[in-house]
Amino acid sequence: MRILLVEDDKPLSSALKVSLSKANYVVDCVYDGASALNTFKMSQNDIVILDLGLPDQDGLNVLKRIRKTNPVLPVLILTARDKTTDKISGLDAGADDYLPKPFEIDELLARLRVLERRLGTASQSVITVKNVSLDTAHHTLTIDKDKVHLPRRELMLLKALIENAGRILSKHQLESKLYEWGEEVASNTIEVHISHLRKKMPENFIRTIRGVGYCISNSGD
């Protein structure tokens, strides 16, 4: 899951990026409204965390411009504006959630999981396909009720695939969910991760659609 973090307080932005990365999110950080809008046009972000007190323009303006072209992209406002009227303004402008500062990181993560569930196939934190269950809240995997440990990248890859069970994800789409800006990604990185992941999954759980990408079937096949 790829997050666009729009926060002009760089120490806070850095701290949030560390916490979100530990929770297996990929985070792109920008510090003003213009950069946020440019990134929005070019990137494949799944969720936006948006501060309102930006140096070049009000965050509500950024939100309204995002909503003109993408009415469904989840946007969580994270701001020091804590009055009820501010919250109403943010929600009326199109925000999906509103979290005043200061806040606890656990609450932010919980709210992000709610937004994730709206995006994916899951209606709860545990997604089960056949005999494989992934707990997206606690980042644990069980196969036939036995716990299986996965390295971080493999867990993120499986999460992307299982949340989109029945859909084909291209190599580029998977890279965008695993890697941040500027990270060097070898041409065969996804293939290597898929190969390692397949060894721990049931036979034929992950399918290769030649020339297109990868998918997990959500049928009983």
Side-chain angles (χ1 to χ4, degrees):
M1 188 67 61
R2 192 179 197 102
I3 292 176
L4 174 60
L5 174 60
V6 189
E7 170 60 65
D8 69 317
D9 183 333
K10 292 189 177 181
L12 175 58
S13 178
S14 297
L16 281 174
K17 181 172 182 177
V18 170
S19 296
L20 293 170
S21 296
K22 287 180 179 178
N24 292 328
Y25 292 101
V26 174
V27 186
D28 300 323
C29 298
V30 295
Y31 309 104
D32 57 63
S35 299
L37 292 170
N38 287 334
T39 304
F40 166 70
K41 293 176 184 177
M42 298 183 295
S43 299
Q44 296 180 336
N45 296 100
D46 302 295
I47 295 174
V48 177
I49 298 176
L50 176 65
D51 183 23
L52 295 184
L54 301 174
D56 60 337
Q57 59 186 294
D58 193 290
L60 288 179
N61 179 58
V62 175
L63 175 58
K64 291 173 183 177
R65 292 181 64 181
I66 288 175
R67 282 289 173 256
K68 285 183 178 180
T69 55
N70 191 328
V72 298
L73 177 69
V75 178
L76 185 153
I77 289 177
L78 195 65
T79 180
R81 301 178 191 174
D82 58 358
K83 294 181 180 179
T84 300
T85 52
D86 294 323
K87 183 174 183 179
I88 291 171
S89 296
L91 295 173
D92 282 346
D96 296 272
D97 202 351
Y98 194 105
L99 183 60
K101 301 174 184 175
F103 58 91
E104 296 291 335
I105 187 65
D106 287 342
E107 182 177 2
L108 174 60
L109 293 174
R111 292 181 183 228
L112 289 174
R113 289 194 293 270
V114 171
L115 296 179
E116 281 189 85
R117 290 198 291 272
R118 296 180 192 173
L119 290 173
T121 58
S123 59
Q124 54 188 359
S125 63
V126 178
I127 311 172
T128 301
V129 178
K130 301 176 185 177
N131 58 335
V132 176
S133 294
L134 179 66
D135 187 331
T136 60
H138 300 95
H139 311 295
T140 56
L141 170 69
T142 57
I143 301 176
D144 290 323
K145 298 184 179 180
D146 295 324
K147 286 191 176 181
V148 177
H149 172 74
L150 292 180
R152 177 174 175 267
R153 295 289 192 197
E154 290 177 30
L155 186 66
M156 293 171 70
L157 180 59
L158 179 63
K159 183 172 181 283
L161 289 167
I162 207 168
E163 283 182 333
N164 291 277
R167 307 171 190 163
I168 301 172
L169 295 182
S170 69
K171 177 180 172 181
H172 176 69
Q173 286 175 312
L174 291 172
E175 286 176 346
S176 74
K177 294 180 183 295
L178 266 66
Y179 294 96
E180 297 168 0
W181 294 338
E183 284 192 82
E184 292 187 10
V185 183
S187 60
N188 66 337
T189 296
I190 295 298
E191 288 90 340
V192 171
H193 285 318
I194 290 286
S195 176
H196 291 164
L197 190 55
R198 275 196 171 120
K199 295 174 183 177
K200 301 161 188 173
M201 295 291 107
E203 187 175 0
N204 297 322
F205 186 74
I206 301 174
R207 297 183 176 183
T208 300
I209 312 302
R210 192 171 297 278
V212 182
Y214 303 92
C215 75
I216 290 174
S217 173
N218 57 4
S219 69
D221 298 339

PDB file of all heavy atoms in Angstrom, residues 11 28 55 64 93 96 113 131 136 138 142 199 218 220:
ATOM      1  N   PRO A  11      10.773  17.111  10.489  1.00  0.00           N
ATOM      2  CA  PRO A  11      11.025  16.100  11.528  1.00  0.00           C
ATOM      3  C   PRO A  11       9.826  15.180  11.754  1.00  0.00           C
ATOM      4  O   PRO A  11       9.986  13.964  11.904  1.00  0.00           O
ATOM      5  CB  PRO A  11      11.331  16.945  12.768  1.00  0.00           C
ATOM      6  CG  PRO A  11      11.873  18.227  12.225  1.00  0.00           C
ATOM      7  CD  PRO A  11      11.086  18.473  10.979  1.00  0.00           C
ATOM      8  N   ASP A  28       5.727   8.120   0.191  1.00  0.00           N
ATOM      9  CA  ASP A  28       6.318   9.211  -0.580  1.00  0.00           C
ATOM     10  C   ASP A  28       6.051  10.500   0.189  1.00  0.00           C
ATOM     11  O   ASP A  28       4.897  10.813   0.500  1.00  0.00           O
ATOM     12  CB  ASP A  28       5.687   9.310  -1.978  1.00  0.00           C
ATOM     13  CG  ASP A  28       5.888   8.038  -2.790  1.00  0.00           C
ATOM     14  OD1 ASP A  28       6.963   7.430  -2.672  1.00  0.00           O
ATOM     15  OD2 ASP A  28       4.966   7.668  -3.540  1.00  0.00           O
ATOM     16  N   PRO A  55       2.971  25.498   3.494  1.00  0.00           N
ATOM     17  CA  PRO A  55       3.611  26.810   3.342  1.00  0.00           C
ATOM     18  C   PRO A  55       3.161  27.604   2.126  1.00  0.00           C
ATOM     19  O   PRO A  55       3.234  28.828   2.132  1.00  0.00           O
ATOM     20  CB  PRO A  55       5.102  26.462   3.252  1.00  0.00           C
ATOM     21  CG  PRO A  55       5.146  25.051   2.772  1.00  0.00           C
ATOM     22  CD  PRO A  55       3.938  24.390   3.374  1.00  0.00           C
ATOM     23  N   LYS A  64      -9.464  19.825  -2.523  1.00  0.00           N
ATOM     24  CA  LYS A  64     -10.505  20.109  -3.514  1.00  0.00           C
ATOM     25  C   LYS A  64     -10.020  19.828  -4.934  1.00  0.00           C
ATOM     26  O   LYS A  64     -10.775  19.313  -5.766  1.00  0.00           O
ATOM     27  CB  LYS A  64     -10.961  21.567  -3.385  1.00  0.00           C
ATOM     28  CG  LYS A  64     -11.742  21.835  -2.099  1.00  0.00           C
ATOM     29  CD  LYS A  64     -12.036  23.315  -1.927  1.00  0.00           C
ATOM     30  CE  LYS A  64     -12.757  23.585  -0.610  1.00  0.00           C
ATOM     31  NZ  LYS A  64     -12.985  25.031  -0.388  1.00  0.00           N
ATOM     32  N   ALA A  93     -15.137  19.114   2.395  1.00  0.00           N
ATOM     33  CA  ALA A  93     -14.293  19.314   1.206  1.00  0.00           C
ATOM     34  C   ALA A  93     -13.928  17.988   0.537  1.00  0.00           C
ATOM     35  O   ALA A  93     -13.369  17.988  -0.564  1.00  0.00           O
ATOM     36  CB  ALA A  93     -13.023  20.063   1.586  1.00  0.00           C
ATOM     37  N   ASP A  96     -11.862  11.755   3.809  1.00  0.00           N
ATOM     38  CA  ASP A  96     -12.486  10.532   4.316  1.00  0.00           C
ATOM     39  C   ASP A  96     -12.359  10.419   5.830  1.00  0.00           C
ATOM     40  O   ASP A  96     -13.156   9.743   6.474  1.00  0.00           O
ATOM     41  CB  ASP A  96     -11.834   9.308   3.663  1.00  0.00           C
ATOM     42  CG  ASP A  96     -12.071   9.271   2.173  1.00  0.00           C
ATOM     43  OD1 ASP A  96     -13.090   8.720   1.750  1.00  0.00           O
ATOM     44  OD2 ASP A  96     -11.225   9.813   1.419  1.00  0.00           O
ATOM     45  N   ARG A 113      -5.977   1.449   8.353  1.00  0.00           N
ATOM     46  CA  ARG A 113      -6.497   0.116   8.054  1.00  0.00           C
ATOM     47  C   ARG A 113      -7.964   0.174   7.636  1.00  0.00           C
ATOM     48  O   ARG A 113      -8.407  -0.591   6.763  1.00  0.00           O
ATOM     49  CB  ARG A 113      -6.320  -0.804   9.268  1.00  0.00           C
ATOM     50  CG  ARG A 113      -4.872  -1.193   9.519  1.00  0.00           C
ATOM     51  CD  ARG A 113      -4.768  -2.354  10.500  1.00  0.00           C
ATOM     52  NE  ARG A 113      -5.197  -2.003  11.845  1.00  0.00           N
ATOM     53  CZ  ARG A 113      -4.401  -1.522  12.788  1.00  0.00           C
ATOM     54  NH1 ARG A 113      -3.116  -1.291  12.528  1.00  0.00           N
ATOM     55  NH2 ARG A 113      -4.861  -1.264  13.996  1.00  0.00           N
ATOM     56  N   ASN A 131      -6.839 -21.784   1.846  1.00  0.00           N
ATOM     57  CA  ASN A 131      -6.322 -22.151   3.174  1.00  0.00           C
ATOM     58  C   ASN A 131      -5.266 -21.183   3.682  1.00  0.00           C
ATOM     59  O   ASN A 131      -4.524 -21.477   4.608  1.00  0.00           O
ATOM     60  CB  ASN A 131      -5.749 -23.571   3.150  1.00  0.00           C
ATOM     61  CG  ASN A 131      -4.636 -23.724   2.126  1.00  0.00           C
ATOM     62  OD1 ASN A 131      -4.577 -22.990   1.153  1.00  0.00           O
ATOM     63  ND2 ASN A 131      -3.772 -24.697   2.337  1.00  0.00           N
ATOM     64  N   THR A 136      -3.864  -8.379   8.239  1.00  0.00           N
ATOM     65  CA  THR A 136      -3.222  -7.144   7.796  1.00  0.00           C
ATOM     66  C   THR A 136      -3.002  -6.164   8.935  1.00  0.00           C
ATOM     67  O   THR A 136      -2.240  -5.210   8.794  1.00  0.00           O
ATOM     68  CB  THR A 136      -4.051  -6.462   6.695  1.00  0.00           C
ATOM     69  OG1 THR A 136      -5.356  -6.155   7.194  1.00  0.00           O
ATOM     70  CG2 THR A 136      -4.196  -7.372   5.485  1.00  0.00           C
ATOM     71  N   HIS A 138      -1.953  -7.168  12.113  1.00  0.00           N
ATOM     72  CA  HIS A 138      -0.808  -7.635  12.897  1.00  0.00           C
ATOM     73  C   HIS A 138       0.310  -8.209  12.026  1.00  0.00           C
ATOM     74  O   HIS A 138       1.331  -8.661  12.532  1.00  0.00           O
ATOM     75  CB  HIS A 138      -1.266  -8.692  13.901  1.00  0.00           C
ATOM     76  CG  HIS A 138      -2.299  -8.193  14.864  1.00  0.00           C
ATOM     77  ND1 HIS A 138      -3.659  -8.365  14.672  1.00  0.00           N
ATOM     78  CD2 HIS A 138      -2.169  -7.481  16.015  1.00  0.00           C
ATOM     79  CE1 HIS A 138      -4.321  -7.809  15.666  1.00  0.00           C
ATOM     80  NE2 HIS A 138      -3.458  -7.258  16.491  1.00  0.00           N
ATOM     81  N   THR A 142      -0.959 -17.226   8.199  1.00  0.00           N
ATOM     82  CA  THR A 142      -1.156 -18.630   8.557  1.00  0.00           C
ATOM     83  C   THR A 142      -1.583 -19.412   7.320  1.00  0.00           C
ATOM     84  O   THR A 142      -2.369 -18.909   6.499  1.00  0.00           O
ATOM     85  CB  THR A 142      -2.222 -18.807   9.654  1.00  0.00           C
ATOM     86  OG1 THR A 142      -3.453 -18.213   9.216  1.00  0.00           O
ATOM     87  CG2 THR A 142      -1.795 -18.158  10.956  1.00  0.00           C
ATOM     88  N   LYS A 199       7.555 -20.671  -2.845  1.00  0.00           N
ATOM     89  CA  LYS A 199       8.071 -21.837  -2.123  1.00  0.00           C
ATOM     90  C   LYS A 199       7.388 -22.017  -0.765  1.00  0.00           C
ATOM     91  O   LYS A 199       7.411 -23.109  -0.195  1.00  0.00           O
ATOM     92  CB  LYS A 199       9.585 -21.698  -1.931  1.00  0.00           C
ATOM     93  CG  LYS A 199      10.372 -21.728  -3.243  1.00  0.00           C
ATOM     94  CD  LYS A 199      11.842 -21.450  -3.003  1.00  0.00           C
ATOM     95  CE  LYS A 199      12.608 -21.418  -4.333  1.00  0.00           C
ATOM     96  NZ  LYS A 199      14.045 -21.066  -4.133  1.00  0.00           N
ATOM     97  N   ASN A 218      -9.375 -16.065  -6.426  1.00  0.00           N
ATOM     98  CA  ASN A 218     -10.219 -16.115  -5.233  1.00  0.00           C
ATOM     99  C   ASN A 218     -11.334 -17.133  -5.370  1.00  0.00           C
ATOM    100  O   ASN A 218     -12.269 -17.179  -4.582  1.00  0.00           O
ATOM    101  CB  ASN A 218     -10.814 -14.731  -4.924  1.00  0.00           C
ATOM    102  CG  ASN A 218     -11.606 -14.180  -6.091  1.00  0.00           C
ATOM    103  OD1 ASN A 218     -11.787 -14.848  -7.105  1.00  0.00           O
ATOM    104  ND2 ASN A 218     -12.094 -12.954  -5.961  1.00  0.00           N
ATOM    105  N   GLY A 220     -12.396 -21.338  -5.981  1.00  0.00           N
ATOM    106  CA  GLY A 220     -12.001 -22.595  -5.348  1.00  0.00           C
ATOM    107  C   GLY A 220     -11.070 -23.435  -6.205  1.00  0.00           C
ATOM    108  O   GLY A 220     -10.781 -24.579  -5.866  1.00  0.00           O
TER     109      GLY A 220
END
